[in-house]
């Protein structure tokens, strides 16, 4: 009996939605040859990670085992699946395989980070396969909200694994390949050991709708609009952008794309042959000369991003174009949980301008790119795997998806980031735990989530900051009074005196009382000054600020 084993290890994307990274391995325990599926990012927010640019999965375990890594496979071009490829390639150093559209995006990300774009290799769809150590991997077309998504057929000596990636069962997707149930049944007929499956919409109990259903609704809305129309959606949803552009074109409007991401996605789709008949677009400069009732803008920023075109239009102007009373703004998108504040801010700003805002609360102008509960059940039945491993979802999604699989008698397990499964036997088995977490891109530097940088930043944001300066002579006697600088604190407190004056008086009094042992010892002096400043601030303003003490000595 072989001692080799087939393992599955999520490093990101299991127990959360975003920054997907899934490791598969086959071989002797502790020496398996590995492949990585997806290497994505998630985005920061001011509440939990202020100032952070991007958030990555913690790749430490894989980097430490990079000598065992054979290749990286990218299922599709969304940021949470491909966004980190340029940031980590130099630490992993293996070929990256993706289908043409995704490869186009991945190469740009490699170039942006100074990495070699020729390490990204374009793969053709199934039945073509790529050999990677003990694995044979093929891209099986599947519909999603971005072109050329691919589920992965991962064959090993221990059996076939099907990794769905993000998917929906759309047989009329407008752009990209339709879901082909016969093809999926064909690849499954000889038996599938494990289906590793998207869990995002497991709580949505109605069957998913096709992309083709939103076109007539959007066209009717745009045709009836008396003034300028602006529409936003996910830039990567090329099919939706095309539907919006065609609706505007049929209504006799000139189409203008605004936002770098949207232009980049359309260019990539045209360059790779995914899109061949997109309506003619005009530049923002030319758009300024078009009568408002004859213009339609397609803009980025459907999730409330502050720097995107939607937010800038809501603040007043973007590329020389402003919105006016009676214009129409359409959100042809779903607000991702966590982004509600930003989206509502934009809606209110637009409302103050007199703009009519239409969102997708009634379901007419957007369909999800993820399979709903009945679609997941259908996928289970088509593939009929021995076991179902839920992925791509928060813990509640994984748990509910496991229940769905078990209802039909299939083996399942909830595997979150860092939980290594052995898939070799007749049921999935937790075999090991790997330390995982998050890595932050903070400006140009990667920092660990536990390094304290972001924690200190949050504490300063919550409490304000006091800088204390003290000078002592060669005899350890204070030269003059202590002085302070305040950041993020009110100018005066309960005593109605300037807060700076109150703190300086209390700190100078402390210096006058301090004994020689305290004045001669920097640690004791700093501790005492910090305590006095925080206590005095608490009395005056009701909170204890963060404190930095600078002691200067004249030798």
């Amino acid at each position: 009996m072989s001692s080799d084993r087939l393992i599955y290890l999520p490093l990101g994307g299991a127990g959360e939605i975003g920054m997907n990274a899934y490791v598969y391995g086959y071989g002797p325990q502790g020496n398996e040859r590995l492949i990585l599926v997806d290497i994505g990012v998630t985005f920061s927010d001011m509440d939990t990670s202020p100032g952070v640019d991007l958030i990555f999965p913690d790749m430490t375990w894989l980097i430490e085992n990079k000598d065992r890594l054979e290749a990286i496979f990218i299922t599709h071009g969304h940021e949470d699946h491909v966004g980190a490829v340029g940031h980590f390639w130099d630490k992993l150093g293996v070929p990256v395989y993706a289908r043409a559209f995704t490869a186009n995006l991945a190469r740009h990300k490699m170039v942006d980070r100074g990495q070699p774009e020729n390490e990204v290799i374009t793969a053709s769809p199934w039945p073509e396969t790529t050999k990677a150590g003990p694995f044979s991997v093929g891209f099986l077309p599947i519909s999603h909200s971005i072109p050329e998504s691919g589920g992965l057929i991962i064959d090993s000596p221990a059996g076939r694994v099907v990794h769905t990636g993000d998917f929906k069962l759309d047989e009329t997707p407008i752009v990209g390949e339709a879901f082909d149930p016969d093809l999926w049944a064909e690849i499954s007929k000889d038996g599938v050991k494990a289906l590793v499956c998207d869990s995002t919409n497991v709580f949505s109990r109605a069957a998913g709708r096709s992309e083709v259903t939103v076109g007539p609704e959007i066209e009717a809305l745009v045709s009836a609009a008396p003034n300028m129309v602006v529409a936003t959606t996910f830039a990567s949803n090329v099919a939706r952008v095309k539907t919006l552009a065609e609706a505007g074109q049929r209504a006799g409007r000139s189409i203008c794309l605004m936002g770098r991401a949207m232009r980049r996605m359309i260019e990539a789709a045209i360059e790779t042959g995914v899109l061949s008949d997109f309506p003619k677009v005009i530049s923002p400069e030319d758009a300024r000369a078009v009568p408002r009732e004859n213009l339609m803008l397609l803009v980025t920023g459907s999730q409330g991003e502050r720097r995107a075109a939607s937010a800038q239009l809501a603040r007043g102007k973007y590329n020389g174009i402003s919105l006016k009373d009676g214009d129409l703004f359409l959100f042809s998108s779903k607000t991702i949980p966590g982004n509600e504040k930003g989206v509502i801010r934009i809606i209110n700003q637009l409302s103050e301008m007199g703009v009519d805002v239409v969102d997708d609360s009634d379901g007419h102008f957007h369909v999800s790119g993820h399979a709903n509960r009945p679609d997941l059940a259908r996928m289970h039945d088509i593939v009929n795997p021995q076991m179902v491993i839920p992925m791509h979802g928060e813990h509640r999604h994984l748990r509910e998806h496991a229940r769905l699989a078990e209802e039909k008698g299939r083996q399942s397990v909830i595997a979150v980031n860092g939980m290594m499964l052995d898939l070799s036997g007749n049921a999935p088995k937790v075999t090991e735990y790997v330390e995982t977490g998050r890595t932050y891109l903070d400006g140009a530097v990667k920092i660990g989530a536990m390094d304290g940088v972001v924690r200190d930043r949050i504490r300063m944001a919550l409490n304000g900051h006091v800088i204390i300066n003290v000078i002592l002579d060669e005899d350890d006697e204070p030269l003059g009074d202590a002085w302070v600088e305040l950041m993020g604190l009110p100018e005066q407190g309960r005593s109605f005196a300037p807060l700076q004056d109150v703190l300086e008086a209390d700190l100078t009094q402390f210096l006058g009382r301090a004994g020689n042992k305290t004045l001669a010892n920097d640690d004791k002096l700093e501790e005492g000054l910090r305590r006095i400043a925080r206590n005095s601030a608490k009395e005056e303003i009701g909170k204890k600020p963060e404190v930095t003490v600078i002691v200067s000595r004249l030798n």
Side-chain angles (χ1 to χ4, degrees):
M1 182 176 176
S2 173
S3 62
D4 292 344
R5 63 177 186 169
L6 174 64
I7 60 169
Y8 162 77
L9 170 64
L11 297 177
E16 65 199 352
I17 294 177
M19 60 178 196
N20 295 273
Y22 307 96
V23 176
Y24 291 90
Y26 180 80
Q29 181 172 342
N31 198 33
E32 297 90 354
R33 303 305 298 174
L34 309 172
I35 60 172
L36 175 65
V37 174
D38 292 336
I39 182 165
V41 303
T42 195
F43 298 96
S44 63
D45 62 71
M46 288 302 292
D47 291 334
T48 62
S49 47
V52 168
D53 297 275
L54 291 171
I55 303 175
F56 309 123
D58 183 352
M59 304 298 290
T60 302
W61 182 89
L62 191 60
I63 292 168
E64 289 174 350
N65 290 281
K66 68 178 183 178
D67 59 318
R68 295 159 53 192
L69 184 64
E70 300 281 354
I72 299 169
F73 295 88
I74 310 293
T75 59
H76 64 280
H78 278 148
E79 288 294 309
D80 61 329
H81 293 260
V82 70
V85 66
H87 293 274
F88 284 101
W89 185 88
D90 60 336
K91 298 287 195 303
L92 299 174
V94 296
V96 179
Y97 295 91
R99 297 192 61 198
F101 178 80
T102 306
N104 182 292
L105 301 177
R107 289 188 187 104
H108 280 275
K109 294 185 180 301
M110 292 282 276
V111 170
D112 287 347
R113 304 300 302 181
Q115 307 299 342
E117 62 180 320
N118 61 358
E119 290 292 340
V120 178
I121 300 166
T122 300
S124 298
W126 184 266
E128 180 178 298
T129 60
T130 298
K131 185 73 173 171
F135 295 103
S136 175
V137 182
F139 288 84
L140 194 66
I142 189 75
S143 48
H144 185 39
S145 56
I146 190 170
E148 287 193 344
S149 291
L152 296 180
I153 300 172
I154 304 171
D155 285 326
S156 76
R160 173 165 288 184
V161 174
V162 175
H163 182 105
T164 66
D166 294 5
F167 77 98
K168 63 182 295 188
L169 305 186
D170 192 343
E171 298 181 33
T172 52
I174 306 281
V175 174
E177 297 133 324
F179 173 65
D180 184 348
D182 294 336
L183 177 60
W184 280 74
E186 173 67 23
I187 64 97
S188 306
K189 67 180 183 180
D190 294 328
V192 170
K193 175 171 278 291
L195 176 68
V196 183
C197 192
D198 180 4
S199 307
T200 310
N201 281 357
V202 68
F203 289 107
S204 299
R205 294 190 173 271
R209 292 161 52 217
S210 171
E211 181 66 32
V212 77
T213 63
V214 300
E217 300 276 5
I218 291 173
E219 192 165 334
L221 181 72
V222 174
S223 296
N227 300 312
M228 186 167 74
V229 175
V230 183
T232 185
T233 189
F234 299 98
S236 59
N237 193 339
V238 173
R240 184 69 48 76
V241 177
K242 181 184 179 188
T243 295
L244 290 164
E246 289 178 340
Q249 184 184 54
R250 282 195 280 269
R253 295 175 180 269
S254 297
I255 309 301
C256 177
L257 300 179
M258 284 191 169
R260 186 172 63 90
M262 190 164 285
R263 293 194 301 272
R264 177 75 202 96
M265 284 291 175
I266 297 302
E267 288 168 2
I270 292 171
E271 287 171 8
T272 55
V274 167
L275 201 56
S276 58
D277 53 352
F278 194 80
K280 180 183 177 183
V281 299
I282 62 173
S283 68
E285 293 75 22
D286 291 340
R288 295 174 205 152
V290 175
R292 303 180 68 77
E293 65 273 15
N294 295 332
L295 182 62
M296 182 172 179
L297 309 180
L298 304 183
V299 303
T300 55
S302 68
Q303 299 304 302
E305 301 95 324
R306 287 180 175 272
R307 290 181 289 182
S310 293
Q312 296 200 48
L313 285 168
R315 290 196 293 268
K317 185 179 286 188
Y318 184 65
N319 280 344
I321 295 177
S322 300
L323 293 171
K324 295 184 178 179
D325 190 2
D327 288 341
L328 174 71
F329 195 106
L330 169 64
F331 281 86
S332 182
S333 55
K334 174 186 177 182
T335 302
I336 296 171
N339 294 338
E340 294 90 350
K341 286 182 182 178
V343 172
I344 290 170
R345 183 189 306 112
I346 289 174
I347 290 173
N348 282 320
Q349 289 171 324
L350 293 171
S351 182
E352 290 168 8
M353 296 178 182
V355 174
D356 296 319
V357 180
V358 177
D359 63 18
D360 192 55
S361 54
D362 57 7
H364 291 311
F365 307 109
H366 176 68
V367 293
S368 175
H370 295 271
N372 290 355
R373 188 185 189 91
D375 311 313
L376 292 173
R378 184 183 172 202
M379 177 62 91
H380 294 181
D381 289 342
I382 291 171
V383 176
N384 193 25
Q386 187 175 343
M387 58 189 83
V388 174
I389 311 299
M391 57 119 184
H392 200 287
E394 298 166 359
H395 195 279
R396 62 193 179 99
H397 298 106
L398 305 184
R399 188 180 184 200
E400 187 65 18
H401 196 172
R403 283 176 175 164
L404 177 65
E406 289 164 353
E407 286 173 5
K408 292 285 189 75
R410 297 186 176 98
Q411 298 283 341
S412 191
V413 68
I414 302 167
V416 297
N417 295 340
M419 187 181 292
M420 184 186 293
L421 299 183
D422 184 346
L423 306 180
S424 307
N426 294 323
K429 181 176 66 175
V430 178
T431 183
E432 202 173 313
Y433 292 91
V434 168
E435 187 172 334
T436 58
R438 295 182 163 208
T439 300
Y440 296 139
L441 180 66
D442 194 50
V445 179
K446 294 189 188 75
I447 58 175
M450 304 305 292
D451 289 357
V453 176
V454 171
R455 180 198 62 212
D456 289 347
R457 195 173 290 161
I458 292 172
R459 286 165 58 180
M460 285 189 286
L462 292 172
N463 302 319
H465 190 212
V466 174
I467 301 174
I468 303 171
N469 289 276
V470 174
I471 300 177
L472 295 95
D473 64 18
E474 57 273 2
D475 296 321
D476 298 325
E477 292 294 325
L479 280 178
D481 297 340
W483 76 94
V484 303
E485 299 173 48
L486 308 179
M487 296 181 67
L489 294 168
E491 291 186 4
Q492 63 182 29
R494 293 190 178 110
S495 67
F496 300 107
L499 178 61
Q500 181 175 353
D501 292 353
V502 173
L503 294 182
E504 288 180 346
D506 289 350
L507 291 165
T508 299
Q509 190 177 59
F510 167 78
L511 288 173
R513 296 195 313 264
N516 291 335
K517 287 185 178 180
T518 297
L519 293 172
N521 186 308
D522 282 358
D523 290 341
K524 287 184 177 180
L525 182 58
E526 288 177 17
E527 181 185 342
L529 290 167
R530 184 176 291 106
R531 176 174 47 80
I532 293 296
R534 299 191 78 204
N535 289 342
S536 297
K538 178 70 174 178
E539 289 292 322
E540 284 289 306
I541 62 174
K543 62 168 53 186
K544 293 184 176 182
E546 302 303 304
V547 178
T548 299
V549 180
I550 301 172
V551 177
S552 303
R553 296 182 181 274
L554 301 178
N555 295 323

